[in-house]
Amino acid sequence: MVATSDIVIEVRDLDFYYGDMKALRGVSLNIKRNQVTALIGPSGCGKSTFLRLLNRMNDLIPGTRVEGQVVFEGKNLYDEDVNPVDIRRRIGMVFQKPNPFPKSIFNNVAYGPRLNGIKDKKRLDELVVRSLKQAAIWEEVKNSLDKSALSLSGGQQQRLCIARALAMAPEVLLMDEPTSALDPIATSRIEELVEALKKDYPVVIVTHNMQQAARVSDDTAFFYMGEMVEMGNTERLFTKPEKQQTEQYITGRFG
């Protein structure tokens, strides 16, 4: 039994529609403190759609509709009085493809805090250094903060994007296939970083790579055809899945 204090986000009976198409149905799961939760499943099964529901990114797509609840800090994120912009600050997101701004490395990280009213140079400097250190890229860029972020390698750009998300002091970090565009060495660096970050943040990661899910996550949820088929401790789910569909997917019989 999971203590209520360990649950950061509680999803209750969630349905999601793109227009008339029901993309997710009846999803219920918990995201826990100081843990990495992996979402796995074949392409088009709803895992990235679900991830974007956790910080209301799907609101930006016309014609979408949500039923059910996503409870964060005791409040349903889809209540009318909740500001989605505030939610996206508190629940940060890193995307599949590194997307640094065409600005300097420093200004990429400082951009969000400046937008939120932090103007003091000393405070900004401290925030940028701390975020770059947290994202395990400080040693590589500390002497070139004025250089364009676009001059960095793909793996460095992705860690910079993680630093940019951390600079907003999020309470939860979402990652949508953050290594799918990276080489094996860069992927390994990001996986090590995810392991370190869970000490401070609950991390939810969508991955198409089951070996990655097994390496980095504490809990895994298996999605198929818009439903969450099974969720549990990662080691248990990969070695003794309860559902036949889960076993078939993990053993490569479909997907």
Side-chain angles (χ1 to χ4, degrees), residues 188-200:
S188 178
R189 294 293 300 272
I190 298 284
E191 289 181 3
E192 288 169 12
L193 175 55
V194 168
E195 180 68 27
L197 286 172
K198 78 175 184 182
K199 296 183 183 73
D200 298 307

Side-chain angles (χ1 to χ4, degrees), residues 92-145:
M93 190 156 190
V94 177
F95 297 92
Q96 185 170 358
K97 195 168 180 289
N99 59 343
F101 303 137
K103 300 173 180 289
S104 71
I105 293 167
F106 182 94
N107 285 330
N108 261 269
V109 183
Y111 182 81
R114 277 198 189 113
L115 214 58
N116 273 280
I118 297 176
K119 303 289 187 230
D120 180 69
K121 186 176 184 314
K122 184 168 180 283
R123 197 170 159 208
L124 275 174
D125 286 349
E126 289 170 352
L127 195 57
V128 168
V129 172
R130 187 175 76 234
S131 302
L132 290 169
K133 283 181 175 176
Q134 272 188 300
I137 191 175
W138 169 248
E139 290 301 324
E140 293 158 65
V141 302
K142 63 184 179 184
N143 297 319
S144 51
L145 296 179

Side-chain angles (χ1 to χ4, degrees), residues 14-25:
L14 191 79
D15 295 339
F16 178 74
Y17 298 82
Y18 290 108
D20 294 332
M21 191 193 87
K22 196 170 190 177
L24 290 170
R25 59 184 69 80

